[in-house]
Amino acid sequence: MSRPIITVDNLSKSYRLGEKRDPGRTFQEALTEGIASPWRRVRSMARGQALAPPPDRTFWALKGVSFEIQRGEVMGIIGKNGAGKSTLFKILSRITEPTSGCARLRGRVASLLEVGTGFHPELTGRENVYLNGAILGMKRAEIARKFDEIVSFAVVEKFLDTPVKFYSSGMYVRLAFAVAAHLDPEILIVDEVLAVGDGEFQKKCLGRMKQVSRGEGRTVLFVSHSLATVQSLCDRSLLLRSGEVAAIGPTYDVLAEYQSEPEIRTLSEISTATRRGEGAAKIVAGRLTDAQGATTSFLRCGDDVRIAIEYRSAKTNRLRGCRLSIAFADLLGHELFICSSELTNPELTMLPPAGELTCCIRRLPLTPGRYQLNLYLECDGAVQDDLEHAAEIEVVDGDFYGTGRNCPPGWEGRGVLSDYRWELSQ
């Protein structure tokens, strides 16, 4: 077997929580404090007072992470928020230094970790393409050869000579990804930032990454909370849990391990969900109630359900062109059905700057099992807040058809039930 293009050996990264240097403290003050500290300790011991040891405020974002990636491989990195995914990518991108261990990358690296990474806000889109190419080590002639392809992919022709500080987050991402994916890096590192774009652009990005890896033999590291996307794109995946490698291997097996984690994120924990969008208006809280009006994360198949979503805007005037959607998806991220306000309540396209909308679902049409909720808020013609995997619900068995019979064994997690009847013709 050829030498791996990426080798990560016992990689660890720690941070000191709560440490803050005082820029206003003089050298004399620091020296005086240093001399006084031992005397305070002696006086405390003389009085018989136990001096508690300082608390250990070290946080390990990564602990002993090791793996190898071969050339041309597409590796998915998955894990819950705070698992260490972004820290790992920043170390591999040489943005952050590890505390211990090492990472060896044998090839030119292009990273797309957050919106506008590597862009100068005062420069135009055209100038930033050349700047990014130079940062990646490309010669001007190489960039010029790819320029038209990059601009066409990013769909920013009209704004090419506009400073990027006037770009929307979606335009930023389109241009940044186009540059990173078309300037021939041996290793492409892509974080969740891709999801800022619309659905059509995400498909283009996924298609480009497949072409880069399978057609051109380059290596891709990909982070996403959409397990369905990871499953379709990645041959192998790595699961991080609390900074450590919990599983590594074929994507199907790693996803199975990830889904076996028992904890359920409820709508009350919505602040921890991954967010994308312009952010002028945000979803700030949610509440799920059963048929009796009790707040819960467990629902019964066939029962009536109410989902209240609270939103808030930084603006004081009314919001226009509003659309709030709740998508029910399986744990791989495949959306099963969507409840969108624009289809049933067109009068709700204009909203006050803050309020609460409640979606009432009659006869919840899900088989028993565990599902995730995706929330989506659009105003003024732009995505304001997009929360993928905002919460999880557990659906228990119920008499959906009113026949006294529940779903048979083996139907768990099968998805949507429809309202139908069979008829016999003689």
Side-chain angles (χ1 to χ4, degrees), residues 380-415:
D380 299 323
V383 177
Q384 299 299 329
D385 209 5
D386 184 359
L387 288 76
E388 187 172 348
H389 206 155
E392 292 179 7
I393 60 170
E394 189 79 29
V395 178
V396 298
D397 217 346
D399 185 8
F400 178 82
Y401 294 105
T403 60
R405 300 177 64 89
N406 294 341
C407 293
W411 280 41
E412 292 80 5
R414 290 292 185 90

Side-chain angles (χ1 to χ4, degrees), residues 279-282 311-317 319 353-354:
K282 288 188 175 182
Y311 69 91
R312 191 174 301 143
S313 170
K315 301 179 180 179
T316 56
N317 53 320
L319 303 173

Side-chain angles (χ1 to χ4, degrees), residues 150-268:
I150 291 170
V151 173
S152 176
F153 188 94
V155 198
V156 293
E157 292 92 336
K158 295 180 181 179
F159 310 97
L160 200 54
D161 295 306
T162 301
V164 298
K165 66 181 179 180
F166 298 115
Y167 283 19
S168 68
S169 59
M171 292 165 64
Y172 253 115
V173 169
R174 292 203 302 271
L175 187 57
F177 179 84
V179 172
H182 286 82
L183 290 183
D184 299 333
E186 283 84 8
I187 302 169
L188 180 61
I189 298 177
V190 183
D191 205 342
E192 188 71 45
V193 66
L194 274 189
V196 173
D198 56 33
E200 192 62 33
F201 182 71
Q202 290 177 40
K203 291 179 183 178
K204 285 177 65 175
C205 292
L206 294 174
R208 178 61 187 168
M209 284 191 284
K210 289 179 181 178
Q211 179 185 347
V212 161
S213 61
R214 296 166 190 173
E216 303 173 18
R218 285 180 271 165
T219 304
V220 178
L221 272 72
F222 181 62
V223 157
S224 177
H225 286 278
S226 173
L227 302 186
T229 303
V230 173
Q231 187 179 46
S232 67
L233 182 66
C234 306
D235 306 312
R236 288 202 309 147
S237 291
L238 180 147
L239 171 61
L240 286 175
R241 187 179 293 148
S242 300
E244 298 182 273
V245 176
I248 185 170
T251 295
Y252 182 85
D253 297 336
V254 175
L255 293 182
E257 172 66 22
Y258 179 75
Q259 293 174 51
S260 69
E261 297 183 19
E263 60 188 83
I264 291 182
R265 182 195 300 146
T266 66
L267 278 172
S268 63

Side-chain angles (χ1 to χ4, degrees), residues 52 57 82 126 128 158 213 216 258 290 340 344 358 373 404 426:
R57 302 182 65 83
R126 183 188 304 275
N128 270 293
K158 295 180 181 179
S213 61
E216 303 173 18
Y258 179 75
D290 60 17
S340 176
T344 58
T358 300
L373 298 181
Q426 294 285 341

